[in-house]
Amino acid sequence: MTDPAALDAADPLAHFRDRFALPEGTIYLDGNSLGPLPKATRARMHAIVDDEWGDGLISSWNAAGWIDAPRRIGDKLARLVGARAGEVIACDSTSVNIFKALAAALDCNPDRSVILSEGGNFPTDLYMADGLARLSPRAKTRIVDYDDLEHAIDESVAVVLVTQVHYKTGRMRDLVDFTAKAHAAGALVVWDLSHSTGAVPVDLNGAKADFAVGCGYKYLNGGPGAPAFLFAAERHHAAVQPVLAGWFGHRAPFEFTDDYEAAAGIEKFLAGTPPMLGLAALESGVDLMLEADMAAIRAKSLSLSRLFMERMATLCERHGFELASPADDAQRGSQVSYRHEHAWPICQAMIARGVIGDFRAPDIFRCGFSPLYLSHAEVARAVEILSEVMESDAWHASEHQARRAVT
């Protein structure tokens, strides 16, 4: 059986643990939903609130570099997703950026009308596609099963909205292969990288990707509701006329003209005034991520998840857990999920014992592995605690409390 202590002793990322403010005694397996607080973010937030906002007031838009933050942070994010400077902008939410990216893709493929996506995708992806289709005079959505997606790209499909790492199962699509097949069929692709960025290597330009979006509050540790980002390949910039034509996306926003004229580059995807407190926290998380080697992050992520699955094998046999994630490293992101009919009360019982994982309806117990602060010893201990919960039937108490709350 794998020795967690030996793996931790050889871990090149172990020193990053001290860079996070994690509660004592907590094993945090939910960084794929909300990353923990980097210690540097506290100091950064004090500085922007007390010094830049408090003392600098409006002058900080220029003196403190606020006005350039979306592009500056976007250029940093570009290094994490295999893009060039000027192809990524930090702004808005993932949902809003999906809308903007889909509208842009329709601009770039004007002779086609269908937005294609997969059933079971994260809901906001499908909701945004449907909302755009209701507004557009030509767009319509088509939803197919996960395994049928690439085969459903026909001559009517303008753009495929696809998630690289599935939010429930952690199943990962091949970015290069899928993009190539979509392009061969005449379609563009909008990639949702929400469960990829900061967890798995991403090379958008290497894959000849068109558009992509991702969030800042998961593996990037940018804080709750942190601004997201949008990638647009430079070759598409000229063809895009933004539907959400906000003043910060204007060619010259401070000329205050009545007519909209889009900026020439990635800035055209901006809309309203940048949310500086959120962007400052996000930048701290991105700066920390950039200090680490992505190959080492991926290697440790796989090592953590393999250990977890190894230790979970006995619980699968004895207590009915069913692996919902791919066992193959190449097909799995940085999370492992199990199905169980009592997944919700089991998850609550684990949280009560200091192991914070996640539940996704109807029956998924999901655990994320963030290599910068999680150790192999913690992963092994988490499975020990889960075994104790199952052997003692402790999860029944959580189920009983839930039923009382409902009635």
Side-chain angles (χ1 to χ4, degrees), residues 5 8 39 71 80 113 129 147 159 167 183 205 233 269 271 288 301 305 311 337 403:
D8 286 336
K39 291 178 180 178
R71 171 64 182 268
L80 293 175
S113 60
D147 291 322
V159 54
Y167 79 104
H183 286 176
N205 281 330
F269 290 96
L288 179 56
S301 164
S305 60
R311 298 299 176 94
S337 299
R403 288 174 177 167

Side-chain angles (χ1 to χ4, degrees), residues 45-66:
M45 295 307 292
H46 278 296
I48 193 171
V49 170
D50 296 336
D51 302 332
E52 296 174 17
W53 180 17
D55 294 334
L57 297 171
I58 199 169
S59 68
S60 288
W61 281 107
N62 292 310
W66 291 357

Side-chain angles (χ1 to χ4, degrees), residues 5 7 15 41 49 53 70 72 86 100 111 122 158 167 175 187 191 198 202 231 239 272 343 349 367 391:
L7 293 173
H15 64 284
T41 304
V49 170
W53 180 17
R72 181 181 67 248
K100 291 189 289 187
D111 297 327
F122 192 78
Y167 79 104
L175 189 76
W191 284 98
V202 176
F231 159 84
C367 294
E391 293 291 342

Side-chain angles (χ1 to χ4, degrees), residues 12-20 288 291-293 371-373:
L13 301 175
H15 64 284
F16 281 98
R17 170 66 179 240
D18 291 336
R19 307 284 292 277
F20 292 89
L288 179 56
E291 293 183 34
D293 177 73
L372 293 191
Y373 52 81

Side-chain angles (χ1 to χ4, degrees), residues 156-173:
S156 69
V157 175
V159 54
V160 187
L161 173 59
V162 58
T163 298
Q164 186 186 22
V165 176
H166 194 274
Y167 79 104
K168 278 189 180 181
T169 66
R171 186 176 176 183
M172 184 166 64
R173 291 190 186 272

Side-chain angles (χ1 to χ4, degrees), residues 38-316:
K39 291 178 180 178
T41 304
R42 282 189 173 136
R44 178 68 188 108
M45 295 307 292
H46 278 296
I48 193 171
V49 170
D50 296 336
D51 302 332
E52 296 174 17
W53 180 17
D55 294 334
L57 297 171
I58 199 169
S59 68
S60 288
W61 281 107
N62 292 310
W66 291 357
I67 199 77
D68 301 318
R71 171 64 182 268
R72 181 181 67 248
I73 299 168
D75 286 348
K76 292 180 179 181
L77 285 161
R79 294 159 55 190
L80 293 175
V81 296
R84 290 183 291 271
E87 291 187 314
V88 179
I89 197 81
C91 61
D92 299 314
S93 67
T94 308
S95 300
V96 172
N97 287 337
I98 287 170
F99 186 97
K100 291 189 289 187
L102 287 174
L106 289 170
D107 277 349
C108 297
N109 213 354
D111 297 327
R112 296 184 175 205
S113 60
V114 171
I115 301 170
L116 177 67
S117 194
E118 65 199 64
N121 202 348
F122 192 78
T124 202
D125 297 57
L126 302 181
Y127 301 163
M128 282 293 163
D130 185 59
L132 177 59
R134 290 200 306 272
L135 289 173
S136 171
R138 67 181 177 93
K140 52 189 173 184
T141 58
R142 183 184 304 158
I143 309 301
V144 299
D145 290 342
Y146 183 100
D147 291 322
D148 295 333
L149 190 62
E150 70 177 57
H151 306 294
I153 307 172
D154 60 23
E155 65 280 356
S156 69
V157 175
V159 54
V160 187
L161 173 59
V162 58
T163 298
Q164 186 186 22
V165 176
H166 194 274
Y167 79 104
K168 278 189 180 181
T169 66
R171 186 176 176 183
M172 184 166 64
R173 291 190 186 272
D174 188 313
L175 189 76
V176 174
D177 182 67
F178 189 94
T179 301
K181 289 177 178 176
H183 286 176
L188 303 183
V189 182
V190 172
W191 284 98
D192 186 337
L193 304 177
S194 293
H195 287 271
S196 307
T197 310
V200 300
V202 176
D203 186 359
L204 291 172
N205 281 330
K208 297 181 174 59
D210 302 296
F211 299 93
V213 300
C215 77
Y217 53 79
K218 300 181 189 298
Y219 295 105
L220 296 179
N221 308 300
F229 67 88
L230 186 152
F231 159 84
E234 186 176 4
R235 66 183 181 276
H236 292 313
H237 289 184
V240 175
Q241 183 68 15
V243 173
L244 297 180
W247 78 298
F248 258 75
H250 193 279
R251 175 191 59 79
F254 292 98
E255 289 183 3
F256 300 106
T257 60
D258 289 346
D259 296 325
Y260 181 79
E261 183 180 347
I266 193 67
E267 283 83 4
K268 69 172 55 181
F269 290 96
L270 290 172
T273 305
M276 282 312 305
L277 301 184
L279 284 170
L282 172 62
E283 189 167 19
S284 288
V286 171
D287 286 343
L288 179 56
M289 182 62 62
L290 285 171
E291 293 183 34
D293 177 73
M294 183 52 66
I297 288 175
R298 178 60 172 163
K300 184 178 177 183
S301 164
L302 293 174
S303 179
L304 291 167
S305 60
R306 284 195 296 265
L307 175 65
F308 186 71
M309 291 186 291
E310 174 189 293
R311 298 299 176 94
M312 282 292 297
T314 300
L315 278 73
C316 290

